[in-house]
Amino acid sequence: MYIPVIGIETHVQLKTETKIFCGCANRYGNAPNTLVCPVCLGLPGTLPVLNEYAVELAVKTASALGCTISNKSVFARKNYFYPDLPKGYQISQYDEPMAKDGWLRLSGHRTEKKIRISRIHLEEDAGKMLHPEGNIEISESRIDLNRCGVPLVEIVTEPDIGSPQEAYEYLSRLRQILLYIGVSDCSMEEGSLRCDANISMKIKGSDLMGQRTELKNLNSFKFVKKALEFEINRQSELLSNGEKVIPETLAWDETLSGIVKLRSKETSEDYRYFPEPDLIQLTLKDQDIKRIRSELPELPDQKRERFISDYGIPENNAAALTSTIELAEYFEEAASHCTDNKKLSDWILSEILNILRENRVSIKEFRISPEKTAGLVELIGSGRISGRIAKDLFREMVRSGNSAEKILSDSGLELISDPVDLEKIIEDVLGSSPEEVLSYKNGNVKIIGFLIGKAMKETNGKADPVLLNKIMKEKLDNCT
Ligand code: ADP
Ligand code: MG
Ligand code: ZN
């Protein structure tokens, strides 16, 4: 019985103003080859100067992932030929990376499964090839070097991931944390988060690792899952037929729903790594590492636990509300104006998320302030409006930007909950329905539903349903 063994390498573009070794802007979407200079083009005689802020963001990343950060690390040249790499080498880190031995816990309150992170290192990005396939503007392949020298951290896991689903969870959690700490946009479309998956099969219970392949071109987390499932089947079949897995670099092809071979798997010898002679070693002082660590925001796991204990909301709600830092902040701000945290959390997770999805906006762009949302939830709690009406009212808040109180007083949507008003309406209804009243007296208690319906209609649905029920019953039982 074979089981999959998976390790993931993730490249994350850091959100700096400028590139890692020169002053060119680090920006996506500019016209090709407009954000370049002699340094990032690799012209002879130029020298790299390390961007301090890129280092800061890398330390932040490593701290959030529980790594041990080295006081000393070394840049190295990774040599290979490709058209998008004008220097003929990439400046990376090799045998002395910036950080080691971290971990990431997979989602969930009680999940104990941790994925170990073997290393995190800093490196520069390469340029980008543009091909006529899928790009109608060009009729031949071209090269855009704007991305050359964009700062990256590479995050490498131990082969601890046991299934495509775990791979998906690992990446989702990683992305969540990176967004929390604000080091990257983590946009797969824009390529600011890219991952490769290494996979082999081993016999269950054995320590012996199988031969692995590396999957590239995984443009979404969904593709990661699909590609891994495909590759698990392929390798299992090979092995059960007594054939061998060949170490290869493969690419996922979504249109084929299959994999294509890129090249046989390179080994580190192929890259002829050697220390980068143009950069001194990277030295990090303990006090700087400590400062950066102390500036980390509260991370998703801690925040979720705190939401459960401080606000008394269910675990699922706490997990969903802490999915992004912006949503969590919205909830906390609203909760400071609200007495019913559970109702507030339900409201945000159903009504607000629905509206955001419909309008394709983020919570940051949402026009209803947390305080106004809290105001609405308070109104529902006070019984002045029904849940049904609250939904309409909320839509009106989104449309007009007004508070719930203001719309309510302008519109007359407020529930009629004055017993005197309701009694009058009920008496009218009973007076005009002598047959039904008689039927009730004769034991047909179900007819009360009809009478309540009639009263509700009289009030255009605005009667407080609980109170209406109570008074109706009293009137019927007391009238002779
Ligand atoms: P490379 O030099 O090819 O990048 P690394 O040693 O850096 O290789 O490992 C890259 C990734 O491959 C890591 O995430 C590691 O956990 C994973 N890996 C290594 N060996 C195996 C294996 N036999 N099966 C699955 N994944 C593996
Ligand atoms: Mg690698
Ligand atoms: Zn440059």
Side-chain angles (χ1 to χ4, degrees), residues 363-428:
I363 187 78
K364 262 173 133 172
E365 299 155 317
F366 190 49
R367 68 181 302 187
I368 307 297
S369 68
E371 190 172 351
K372 283 194 179 134
T373 292
L376 177 74
V377 174
E378 288 294 289
L379 266 183
I380 307 171
S382 72
R384 283 173 57 203
I385 53 170
S386 68
R388 174 75 222 111
I389 283 173
K391 288 186 188 186
D392 294 340
L393 202 144
F394 197 57
R395 302 251 153 197
E396 181 55 23
M397 286 167 73
V398 175
R399 205 192 56 74
S400 64
N402 290 329
S403 74
E405 283 285 357
K406 164 113 179 63
I407 297 168
L408 201 55
S409 60
D410 290 354
S411 70
L413 284 171
E414 191 159 4
L415 286 187
I416 303 172
S417 49
D418 185 335
V420 179
D421 292 344
L422 285 180
E423 266 174 43
K424 202 179 151 328
I425 292 160
I426 290 168
E427 273 160 18
D428 286 350

Side-chain angles (χ1 to χ4, degrees), residues 9 11 78 154 156 196 198 212 214 265-266 273:
E9 297 162 279
H11 290 90
K78 179 177 181 180
E154 178 172 342
V156 184
D196 306 330
N198 292 264
R212 74 176 141 138
E214 181 168 356
K265 179 98 186 80
E266 64 285 343
Y273 279 100

